[in-house]
Each structure stands twice: as structure tokens, then as C-alpha cells.
Amino acid sequence: MTTALGQQPWEPALSVRQVLTLERVLAGQPEVVAGAHRLDRPVRWVHVAEAADVGVMLTGGEMVLTTGVLLAGDEDKQGEYVRSLHRAEASAVVLGLGRAFPAPPDGMRRAAERCGLPMVVLHRPFPFAELTEEVQSRLLRRKFAAVSLSEAVRTELTGLITAGAPVQRLLDEVARHGGCPVVVTNLAHRVLATAGERAAVDDVLRDWERIARQAGAGSADGWIRAELSCRGERWGRLVLCGYRGERAAGRLLADRAAEALVLHRMLGGDGAHTQGPGGSWHSWEEQSARNLLTDLVSGAVPARQLLPRARAAGLPVNRRVFVPLVVRGGDAVLLDRVLRLLGLPGVAADLGDDRVTVLLSLAPDQDARALTAHLAARLRSEPDASRAVVAAADARAAWDDVPAGLREARHVADAVAGSAPGLDLPPVVRLRDIHLRGLVRLLRDDPRVQSFAERELDGLLGGPDEDLLAVLRTYLATGRNKSRTAQLHHVSRPALYRRLEAIQGRLGVDLDDFEQAASVHIALLAHDAQQG
């Protein structure tokens, strides 16, 4: 890829302004007489030329030095000379005053101002060779430093990839080299990953949409981006946010980082098995959602500090109602697809233990319960999620209440995890639906509860007939309904009676006695909660 000036995007350059501040140039008393607003144009090379048609010999980015000896006395030729430099995309023209032009020529100055070409005059005699030598040596030193940086970064990142390092480690190294936050986005500016000092990253994300648009338009100082693509199709961008070094070095760093990320994904790092058609990498968005939801659930980071990350990840947060969900029996990719199909804004991530955590963001006038029920029904219509269980907490109107809501939904999901097969559950399970099971789940780690469970179930735990415990679980979960229990275990009623008698004999209880049955039921719930 090349720029309009023909150089590589990372090729080092000095700006016209920087050249004018060099000690040797200052000795010539430079004065900008035109194009003062274009002094940040890059100088790729310095070219000494007196020919009137010098423009045809340029490739762009040159600072042209001349005494104008062949232009004196002809304003038309002077104007055409400047226009030819402009057409050749020269960065500036420097005129040494002397015999040909004792003062800045108005014809050249007016033409340069109209073209927007910086024009500089030197009031004192100045050996052009010294300026050429100074600028060229500086450019060569920069180019050598750029090549060294390029190889160092490429070697380091490639080493991390071959060592199996996660993509976050690569981004952390890029942020360290750049001394600034690094953000990876999709093409819609949705943030997929970040790296860098946490406070600096949060400052960037706080107003991400506006800043991202400015960076895309090239109007944000120190923001350097590189495109990410796979199999010829762009899928995202890597952005160095507020890079303070030389822009050429920043472009090089961004390009090397982008190459490393693409290579990492092509080699199958960080869940590349979820790569979709056309290079749409679901795992980036999954990782972004997983990090956000993990921090919300854990409470390690105050919810308010996570607002910029949530907003940058594409979750609407202003004047919204939040519905925390936990789904068992589905995966994050499927949940995300269902959310998109239903047009429900939200994030979903697999946080382990066969649980997918989901956070919906709804408008205040939307019916949260109806939409949650619709989501559950649509999810179960998928072949891979026909037995999914959707646990929900009540909708939260304040963002600060979201972490507690997510933990409540997880608690509900855990409470129903050990339910007996065939037990009827509502389409969306909530805290009031889990009753005693939920309380026991909360107390499962209490040593007194553990001791009680082992004491009550001692006759069945570790015994040779493991299926007796399953029969007891179903019998109690169905309200001691013998017909239903026999049906669920595919046995005749006489066979079930024999098993119930065996259970009562081993436990030394009468399951027809309500209090004794309730005690055994609580012990079994505690045992299942501990095992889960």
C-alpha cells in the first residue's frame, strides 16, 4: 500500500515546520511568505533545482531549493513554476534571495498562496548543500530507526504468537511500545478489545463514538489506525489512541500490530474456531462481552467505571432498563444470534459452568417480561437449545444495580440446575420460582448444612444402588407422586414401590410422614447444591 506521495505509509519524514527549525536553516533567516497554514506537510526529500520545468522530475514530498535565476523578470514563468510544483505535490519551495531576487517576488508568492504551497525565502546567503546534507542525514537516521523498530516489533510479536500467547498479550505489548491505549474495533466502531493503562483506556472510551469518527476522518491528533482484514475482506481496525511519537513510527507500529493480529487469528489463536464466513470473527466480540460481564458480576470494578466500556462495546446505556439473564443449555454465539434476530440490544458471554450470561438493554416503555419470554421461546426453537433454561432477575432501572441483578440471575440458574428430570418450570425462571431450593443453594457451603445432608442421606450415599438416589430425587420433586415418578423412570408401579421401600429402609424414615419427607428433601437439595 502506498500513499498519494508514493512512499510507504511508514516511511519517515520531517515536516516543513521541523525543517525550518533546524539550526543550519535558522542561520539563513528563513521567512514564510506563503502557505503558512500548510507547514505540517511532510518533507520526504530535499531537491536542489534551477530548471524551470523541475516539476516533471519530482515524485512528491520534496522540498525544492532554488535561487530562481532562470525565473527572474518573467512573472508568468514564476507562476507556472509554482503551479508545476503544486501539481507534482512538492511539500514546499525555498527561494534563496540574492542577485536574481533581492526581495520575495510577488508573482511567485501570489501563485504559492493560491495553491496552498508553502513558500520560504532565505534572507541571508546559505549553502544549499548544507541544508540538503542535514535533512538527508536526518531522514536516513529516521529510516534506519524505523526499520529497526519494525524488525524489533515484528520479532517480538511473532515470538509471542509462536509461544501460544493470547491476543491480549500481543495488544499489551503494542500498548507498551506505543506508550498509549490501543483499541481494536469492528467496522461499526464497536470496541472489541483494548490494552494500555486502565485509566487512559477509560478516558478514551468515555466519548468513544465521537473520537472514533474524528480519528476515521484524520482529524484526531496522535490517532493512528491500521485496517484488519482476512482473506481480502476488512473486518476491523486497530487504533493507537494519542500516540506521541513520530507519526511515521506510529504508522509502522500499527501496521506491524495489525499483521500480528491477523497472523494470530489465522493460526487459530483465542477461539478462532468460532470464525464465521467472510472473516467475521465472533470471538473478538465474545471476549469483549466476557470481560465486561465478568467485571460486572465480580464487582471487582465499580459498575459506574464500566459504563464507558459498555457504551463502547455497543450497549445502549442512556435512559435504559437492564434485564439480567443467565441461560443454561445454550452457547454465547447462539444467544448473540438470537438477540440480533429479535432486534434486542444486549451482550452475551459464556462465563463457564455451562452458563451464558446475558444483559439486555431495553427502552423504558418496552415490556421487559414479555420480551424476555419471547427471547426464551425463540431460543428454545433452536435445535441446539430446545432444553435451555432461562433464569432472570427483575429489570434494573439503574446501571449501578446491574451487578446485583446478574448475581441474582446466576443464583436462580444454579438453583434450578439440579432439578429432577421432567420437573415443570416456567418459561423464564425467577427468584420467587425457586422457593426452598434457592434458600438451600445459598446455604450450601455452611458446614452445618453439609453435616445435616450427610447425616440424613447416609444410607444412600456411596451405596451400590446409585439409581435409588435418583428415584428419591424425582419422587420428592414431584410432590411424592408415585405415578409420575414411575413414568419418568420407566418402571412399573410395583417396581417403584419396592425401590421406595428400599430407600425408606436404608434411611430409616417414613416418606409418608410429611416432616420426615421434608427433612430428607432438604438434605437432598443441600447435597445436590454441594455437588453442583
Side-chain angles (χ1 to χ4, degrees):
M1 182 177 65
T2 58
T3 65
L5 299 180
Q7 76 262 32
Q8 294 295 321
W10 51 267
E11 185 173 337
L14 292 167
S15 69
V16 175
R17 191 185 308 278
Q18 288 173 315
V19 172
L20 297 181
T21 61
L22 297 179
E23 185 175 351
R24 291 186 179 182
V25 178
L26 291 175
Q29 295 183 357
E31 178 190 1
V32 180
V33 297
H37 62 293
R38 303 293 300 278
L39 296 183
D40 291 321
R41 301 181 75 180
V43 177
R44 188 178 56 84
W45 206 246
V46 176
H47 191 74
V48 180
E50 299 295 349
D53 59 348
V54 65
V56 300
M57 297 181 286
L58 305 180
T59 59
E62 295 92 350
M63 175 180 278
V64 177
L65 312 181
T66 182
T67 62
V69 65
L70 301 180
L71 304 175
D74 190 334
E75 283 202 5
D76 291 339
K77 188 179 294 185
Q78 295 167 19
E80 179 54 32
Y81 178 81
V82 170
R83 288 188 292 273
S84 70
L85 295 181
H86 172 64
R87 288 192 297 269
E89 298 185 344
S91 59
V93 58
V94 178
L95 175 67
L97 299 182
R99 286 179 299 172
F101 292 105
D106 286 339
M108 287 185 68
R109 183 185 57 78
R110 287 193 300 267
E113 194 65 52
R114 283 193 297 268
C115 293
L117 177 70
M119 178 176 172
V120 181
V121 297
L122 300 175
H123 287 277
R124 294 185 61 182
F126 184 87
F128 283 168
E130 290 187 10
L131 174 57
T132 302
E133 179 185 7
E134 176 76 13
V135 174
Q136 314 300 44
S137 64
R138 286 177 179 263
L139 290 175
L140 289 174
R141 287 198 299 271
R142 286 180 176 221
K143 188 164 188 176
F144 178 77
V147 171
S148 298
L149 174 62
S150 173
E151 289 307 309
V153 171
R154 177 183 280 123
T155 300
E156 184 173 351
L157 295 183
T158 302
L160 290 174
I161 293 172
T162 55
V167 72
Q168 186 61 49
R169 177 76 186 282
L170 270 66
L171 293 177
D172 290 340
E173 285 302 306
V174 175
R176 183 181 65 80
H177 275 289
C180 64
V182 177
V183 176
V184 177
T185 77
N186 63 14
L187 297 180
H189 303 302
R190 180 174 177 179
V191 174
L192 305 179
T194 62
E197 185 182 345
R198 187 74 262 164
V201 171
D202 288 343
D203 285 342
V204 167
L205 297 184
R206 192 161 288 116
D207 196 16
W208 173 251
E209 290 187 7
R210 178 184 62 82
I211 295 175
R213 285 194 297 270
Q214 290 181 348
S219 58
D221 183 34
W223 284 59
I224 302 172
R225 71 178 190 171
E227 301 297 327
L228 301 172
S229 62
C230 180
R231 298 182 179 90
E233 182 176 344
R234 289 190 306 129
W235 64 270
R237 300 182 181 93
L238 178 141
V239 187
L240 304 183
C241 307
Y243 181 77
R244 295 305 175 194
E246 292 290 339
R247 189 166 185 84
R251 285 199 301 269
L252 180 148
L253 176 60
D255 287 344
R256 295 295 86 80
E259 290 173 4
L261 293 184
V262 172
L263 176 61
H264 186 273
R265 303 302 298 185
M266 291 177 67
L267 294 178
D270 285 1
H273 60 278
T274 59
Q275 183 174 338
S280 57
W281 294 347
H282 299 295
S283 59
W284 284 89
E285 295 190 8
E286 290 173 25
Q287 186 63 48
S288 174
R290 185 181 302 119
N291 292 341
L292 173 63
L293 292 174
T294 297
D295 286 344
L296 281 170
V297 170
S298 68
V301 181
R304 188 151 297 277
Q305 292 184 20
L306 296 173
L307 264 175
R309 286 170 56 187
R311 186 183 294 111
L315 186 71
V317 295
N318 295 331
R319 295 184 295 277
R320 307 291 287 186
V321 172
F322 304 98
V323 183
L325 307 173
V326 170
V327 179
R328 284 187 175 274
D331 61 68
V333 175
L334 175 59
L335 261 297
D336 188 66
R337 182 164 62 85
V338 171
L339 290 177
R340 294 176 189 273
L341 286 173
L342 298 180
L344 293 177
V347 290
D350 185 351
L351 302 190
D353 297 331
D354 190 34
R355 293 180 299 195
V356 178
T357 300
V358 183
L359 182 61
L360 301 182
S361 174
L362 306 178
D365 59 348
Q366 290 181 291
D367 189 333
R369 287 183 174 272
L371 289 175
T372 304
H374 185 41
L375 169 63
R378 181 64 182 81
L379 176 64
R380 292 194 190 96
S381 70
E382 296 287 335
D384 295 336
S386 59
R387 301 179 64 85
V389 175
V390 179
D394 290 335
R396 264 51 180 181
W399 176 257
D400 289 341
D401 295 334
V402 168
L406 288 170
R407 289 191 287 271
E408 178 182 315
R410 285 167 63 89
H411 168 60
V412 174
D414 287 348
V416 300
S419 299
L423 183 66
D424 290 332
L425 293 172
V428 178
V429 186
R430 293 184 167 82
L431 189 60
R432 64 175 174 273
D433 299 317
I434 59 177
H435 307 297
L436 179 61
R437 186 183 299 274
L439 175 62
V440 172
R441 197 85 182 182
L442 287 175
L443 301 176
R444 63 181 173 178
D445 294 327
D446 190 308
R448 292 168 295 182
V449 174
Q450 295 171 359
S451 177
F452 168 77
E454 290 188 14
R455 185 173 62 250
E456 289 290 304
L457 301 174
D458 182 57
L460 290 179
L461 297 179
D465 298 323
E466 292 291 337
D467 66 320
L468 292 181
L469 198 63
V471 170
L472 175 62
R473 183 181 293 111
T474 304
Y475 180 61
L476 295 174
T478 58
R480 297 182 291 175
N481 186 320
K482 294 182 176 65
S483 297
R484 180 64 172 154
T485 303
Q487 180 185 14
L488 290 173
H489 283 271
H490 307 290
V491 298
S492 65
R493 287 184 61 115
L496 176 65
Y497 293 155
R498 288 194 295 271
R499 295 185 187 188
L500 291 177
E501 288 174 1
I503 291 170
Q504 293 180 106
R506 292 192 182 188
L507 297 182
V509 298
D510 179 5
L511 292 179
D512 289 331
D513 181 88
F514 175 78
E515 184 174 342
Q516 294 182 55
S519 180
V520 172
H521 194 184
I522 293 172
L524 186 57
L525 290 176
H527 169 75
D528 289 345
Q530 292 157 16
Q531 295 302 309

